[in-house]
Amino acid sequence: MACSAVRAPLLRNTTVRHYAAAAAATQSAPAQNLDIQVLSNKITVATLDNDSPVTQVSVTFKAGPRNETYETQGTSHVLRLAAGLTTNRSSAFGITRNIQQIGGNLTATTDRESIAYTLQCTRDKLDVGLKFLEDVATRQVFKPWELNDQIPRLRYELSSIPETTRVLELLHKAAYRKGLGYSLYSPKQRIGKIGTENLQHFVNTWFTGPRCAVVATGVSQEQLNKFASQLQVGSSESSGEPARYFGGELRKERSSSLATVAVAVEGAGLNKEKEAIAFAILQRAAGTGPHVKWGSTSAPLYRTVATAAGKDPFAVSALNASYSDSGIFGFILTAPGNIAGTLTTAASKWLLKPSVTDADISRGKAELKAAVLYATDNSIARHESLAQQALFKGTVASPSAIIAEIEKVSAADVKNVAAKIGKGKLSMAGIGDLDTVPYVEELK
Amino acid sequence: MNVIARTSNLSPYLKATSAAIPNGLRPVAGSGKVQKSKVVVKSDVERLTSYSLSQALPTGQLRARSGITGIGAMQQIRLGHTDIRVPDFSAYRRKDVQDPTTKSRESAESRLTFSYLFTGAAAIAGAYSAKTVVTQFVTSMAASADVLALAKVEIKLDDIPEGKSMVFKWRGKPLFIRHRKADEIAREQSVAVETLRHQQHDNDRVKRPEWLVVIGICTHLGCVPIANAGEFGGYYCPCHGSHYDASGRIRKGPAPLNLEVPPHEFVENMVVVG
């Protein structure tokens, strides 16, 4: 006998598929409004309003080790460490506490040509964050006693730089001697010698409106314009010296079982855009090391070195760094001291007469495009890339526009720049166990 | 050879000398450099394979980044395991239970015994001292020694002839002292105690059988009895007719008790009452 409850439609298996069969709602891609304009105080303001819950705002200046002189080396390192110290409006404690209280991050990032003060916080707390970002980026006072307190931190940072980073610093020094050659890190003999006046002079000279870009993701253009237009920055349009490539060699012997060697010639700066992209493609074509754990790669540079190395461990990667008006292209290599010499010779032989096939070039292109798109995926990397574009080119390009630019570079263009490498002057840097590593004259 | 090979003004600088054993005549060249302790940061890993070596190579642009750390590495983090002090009661704990790894049950008996003994001893000591204090206060209300000394009388027994009862005044009361004859003594001694109203043997009432010392107040309503009168040859109260015998015991009449014997003692031929 069937009970009436069983007959109730709710308790029977449904034969109709309700929401399971509903069409998936079309996901509307977040609005991506790229906008850039130059304000009356000559600050370039770029925004990407992408509805991101986390807002990133950077105040960047074209000021870095490149703008130092022989006497003021290390200034930009101290300047980076001094981010967050007392300003003329808020104390170090106030800045730290307020930023932590809104759950934000405030970082200073330097590369050879620029310094970026970046704030990351949630959108609703932006007003508080911007106030302290302005303090940190434009209202520094550099109290001497606070600078003194940073010395142990500076020493610690210097002692923890890995050799692979040091070798690039040495390579730049050998290649450019000054300007771009000055290190991101303060030389040891300059510790404690960079005082309030040095820093203030550096800030007054280089932290000016025409050398400044304010870049943000996740903010509307109007809000950022309001913030940028009231920044107190100078208006002088000082321009640094143009970069000049010399070439040379620097070696540093250290008690390490490994040798790290970097060899390079002059590449292309961002002012020669097409060549710069060609060099970037050539870098990927030559090989930046295996992409798979424990794996190998068919890239020519890697294969050349692997043949020379046999069963010994080694790592090699093509190296390409483009700055606003110059660049370097070469390779960086690290291996145990006893075989580093052979590998360096083999790799430089390839570098001076690079042989890349069309297949290598198209693989290099694909790798570069993938790298550009992966960087777009990462909001921090994308923001950084926007800041660099706004600062150095005064324009911002969408990822698809950049991909289109890469597409335009033909295999012949890449082969052209590759052919030029052999004529360039070599720069070389070595660090670690340099027993077998040849001198630069021996590489030709 | 040296003169030819090296220019004389440079030669001191083209070699280095150090004295193996300093002799004090030639000063040891001091470098004058102060040895400073160096910050040494060891690498996190020792790279021995191609893979780990390739991980160390920088691939992108070289940048250095630092965050705001105005006052050292300042963080608003409370660490519960180090910041909050756990209250420490070890100052209040017995030695047996200080160590958290031992069982407290094992030492329970000895701790209990000690507690009970200590409490008991303290209670006894407390009670005794309390008693002393209380007695002191209470006795302060009693008569002083000079007053007590005045409250005694000395009576010469030679003045009282045999068979006579004499009356004295002691503390405002009449005091009878009776010199009993031998037959009176024998009579009173032989009275059966169980026949008496207030049962007292004669020996309990006198210290020397020939002398009876009593207070001369009738135990009925306080009249003064008459000596050598009444049916029993002792005392007779004329108010309501109580008869006392020669030992001062009530034998007939309304009085309920024997005549009171005051504290007294004999000193040779003298009695001291009080």
Side-chain angles (χ1 to χ4, degrees):
Chain A
M1 195 178 87
C3 163
S4 65
V6 178
R7 265 183 276 133
L10 270 179
L11 296 179
R12 264 182 275 153
N13 283 340
T14 49
T15 51
V16 188
R17 304 184 68 198
H18 296 285
Y19 285 112
T26 49
Q27 280 205 329
S28 59
Q32 303 254 342
N33 301 322
L34 259 177
D35 204 347
I36 186 160
Q37 62 188 77
V38 179
L39 301 183
S40 56
N41 56 3
K42 293 186 184 160
I43 293 177
T44 312
V45 177
T47 49
L48 172 68
D49 194 359
N50 60 354
D51 294 338
S52 163
V54 174
T55 296
Q56 303 181 62
V57 183
S58 284
V59 179
T60 58
F61 296 97
K62 274 191 235 173
R66 184 183 179 154
N67 305 99
E68 292 168 3
T69 62
Y70 185 80
E71 294 86 37
T72 61
Q73 283 181 80
T75 308
S76 53
H77 190 181
V78 179
L79 193 63
R80 168 164 64 81
L81 294 189
L85 298 188
T86 301
T87 65
N88 68 9
R89 201 165 57 173
S90 29
S91 66
F93 176 77
I95 294 168
T96 313
R97 160 149 174 112
N98 280 288
I99 293 295
Q100 290 185 348
Q101 206 64 23
I102 61 170
N105 275 332
L106 189 50
T107 54
T109 309
T110 49
D111 63 14
R112 255 162 231 290
E113 293 185 295
S114 69
I115 182 164
Y117 296 95
T118 306
L119 167 77
Q120 294 168 314
C121 68
T122 50
R123 228 178 159 132
D124 54 335
K125 299 288 191 336
L126 189 60
D127 288 338
V128 183
L130 282 181
K131 186 188 155 209
F132 292 101
L133 177 64
E134 185 191 340
D135 277 4
V136 168
T138 63
R139 289 164 176 261
Q140 303 95 331
V141 286
F142 306 116
K143 308 262 190 206
W145 53 92
E146 287 187 346
L147 290 178
N148 271 341
D149 288 348
Q150 300 299 318
I151 289 177
R153 191 179 163 205
L154 180 66
R155 276 187 195 283
Y156 179 79
E157 259 198 47
L158 290 182
S159 62
S160 62
I161 302 169
E163 286 188 349
T164 44
T165 309
R166 271 201 184 279
V167 80
L168 289 183
E169 299 299 326
L170 289 175
L171 181 69
H172 280 85
K173 185 87 181 163
Y176 294 103
R177 296 184 191 170
K178 50 189 178 179
L180 281 176
Y182 291 133
S183 173
L184 282 177
Y185 304 98
S186 168
K188 275 213 171 116
Q189 78 272 14
R190 299 285 305 157
I191 293 175
K193 298 218 174 81
I194 299 157
T196 310
E197 275 180 39
N198 300 116
L199 292 166
Q200 204 70 59
H201 182 256
F202 189 86
V203 166
N204 291 343
T205 316
W206 303 108
F207 283 29
T208 58
R211 304 179 68 87
C212 173
V214 177
V215 182
T217 39
V219 193
S220 68
Q221 178 82 17
E222 300 86 62
Q223 196 180 352
L224 200 63
N225 278 351
K226 218 174 89 189
F227 167 69
S229 59
Q230 45 132 29
L231 285 182
Q232 293 178 349
V233 287
S235 57
S236 65
E237 194 148 358
S238 45
S239 59
E241 281 180 42
R244 194 172 151 215
Y245 180 90
F246 291 93
E249 179 176 29
L250 280 175
R251 296 160 75 94
K252 193 170 172 64
E253 285 158 22
R254 285 181 129 201
S255 63
S256 160
S257 60
L258 297 175
T260 309
V261 182
V263 178
V265 296
E266 186 171 19
L270 294 171
N271 51 351
K272 295 179 216 155
E273 196 170 309
K274 201 161 183 185
E275 265 188 56
I277 295 175
F279 269 116
I281 295 172
L282 184 58
Q283 184 202 8
R284 309 286 158 158
T288 53
H291 294 289
V292 183
K293 193 171 183 177
W294 307 113
S296 174
T297 161
S298 61
L301 175 63
Y302 186 88
R303 255 185 296 133
T304 313
V305 177
T307 319
K311 281 187 175 171
D312 285 312
F314 74 96
V316 66
S317 165
L319 170 78
N320 177 42
S322 293
Y323 301 105
S324 58
D325 53 356
S326 178
I328 50 175
F329 182 88
F331 67 85
I332 176 170
L333 177 152
T334 174
N338 56 343
I339 57 153
T342 344
L343 302 191
T344 311
T345 315
S348 352
K349 231 174 228 165
W350 184 90
L351 179 69
L352 291 172
K353 224 176 209 182
S355 60
V356 278
T357 60
D358 286 351
D360 283 332
I361 291 171
S362 61
R363 180 179 47 76
K365 249 189 194 179
E367 271 186 37
L368 183 61
K369 283 190 277 185
V372 169
L373 292 174
Y374 278 133
T376 313
D377 253 6
N378 179 340
S379 65
I380 295 171
R382 176 144 202 220
H383 176 79
E384 225 168 61
S385 141
L386 278 182
Q388 296 282 313
Q389 287 178 44
L391 191 62
F392 292 113
K393 299 174 75 81
T395 57
V396 280
S398 65
S400 51
I402 297 172
I403 298 291
E405 286 293 315
I406 295 170
E407 287 290 357
K408 270 193 233 162
V409 178
S410 66
D413 294 331
V414 178
K415 279 182 178 165
N416 270 347
V417 296
K420 268 201 267 174
I421 291 174
K423 294 173 206 148
K425 226 178 147 196
L426 277 182
S427 305
M428 178 179 170
I431 193 166
D433 175 3
L434 300 181
D435 181 17
T436 61
V437 176
Y439 284 82
V440 71
E441 288 86 0
E442 300 168 47
L443 295 179
K444 287 181 179 156
Chain B
M1 179 66 202
N2 262 343
V3 177
I4 299 164
R6 293 179 183 148
T7 351
S8 57
N9 57 351
L10 266 185
S11 60
Y13 306 106
L14 295 177
K15 63 181 183 188
T17 316
S18 62
I21 301 148
N23 60 7
L25 290 177
R26 280 182 59 177
V28 182
S31 68
K33 194 175 175 182
V34 180
Q35 195 79 35
K36 252 194 226 164
S37 65
K38 209 174 165 189
V39 185
V40 178
V41 181
K42 283 202 171 165
S43 164
D44 47 349
V45 285
E46 199 176 339
R47 300 180 189 275
L48 296 172
T49 64
S50 291
Y51 176 68
S52 59
L53 285 173
S54 68
Q55 278 190 314
L57 290 187
T59 48
Q61 278 245 44
L62 207 57
R63 293 206 178 90
R65 171 170 300 162
S66 57
I68 46 159
T69 46
I71 309 161
M74 195 171 63
Q75 286 292 324
Q76 289 190 56
I77 296 177
R78 301 286 325 254
L79 299 169
H81 59 289
T82 53
D83 279 8
I84 300 167
R85 280 194 61 194
V86 177
D88 180 13
F89 293 108
S90 47
Y92 303 95
R93 288 224 171 94
R94 299 263 181 89
K95 220 182 267 168
D96 302 331
V97 287
Q98 288 277 21
D99 183 5
T101 57
T102 56
K103 281 190 180 172
S104 54
R105 192 173 292 167
E106 282 166 10
S107 60
E109 272 179 32
S110 66
R111 280 181 293 125
L112 277 181
T113 316
F114 176 78
S115 301
Y116 291 155
L117 280 181
F118 189 83
T119 323
I124 291 167
Y128 268 104
S129 43
K131 189 211 116 188
T132 318
V133 172
V134 170
T135 336
Q136 244 177 5
F137 278 107
V138 172
T139 49
S140 73
M141 291 183 271
S144 54
D146 58 333
V147 175
L148 284 180
L150 284 179
K152 286 187 177 182
V153 288
E154 291 173 10
I155 296 147
K156 276 188 184 162
L157 298 174
D158 299 342
D159 300 345
I160 306 165
E162 206 178 19
K164 239 345 206 175
S165 177
M166 286 188 72
V167 182
F168 299 90
K169 196 182 172 188
W170 177 70
R171 294 185 188 175
K173 287 177 262 183
L175 180 74
F176 296 160
I177 295 182
R178 187 187 184 91
H179 195 170
R180 297 194 292 191
K181 283 186 234 158
D183 61 325
E184 275 178 339
I185 295 168
R187 195 175 70 223
E188 300 308 335
Q189 296 256 350
S190 61
V191 171
V193 174
E194 50 276 8
T195 59
L196 298 176
R197 181 178 300 162
H198 181 185
Q199 297 176 350
Q200 261 182 328
H201 195 263
D202 184 51
N203 288 343
D204 298 336
R205 293 177 56 81
V206 295
K207 288 192 175 165
R208 286 186 189 171
E210 58 270 32
W211 297 101
L212 171 71
V213 182
V214 289
I215 290 171
I217 291 173
C218 176
T219 54
H220 179 219
L221 285 173
C223 297
V224 179
I226 302 159
N228 290 330
E231 289 177 19
F232 297 91
Y235 299 95
Y236 171 70
C237 179
C239 296
H240 301 91
S242 295
H243 299 260
Y244 298 92
D245 62 12
S247 184
R249 295 178 291 199
I250 182 69
R251 300 295 286 270
K252 195 178 172 186
L257 295 171
N258 304 340
L259 289 177
E260 191 186 344
V261 178
H264 64 281
E265 55 196 24
F266 294 92
V267 183
E268 289 169 11
N269 55 346
M270 207 165 66
V271 67
V272 180
V273 180

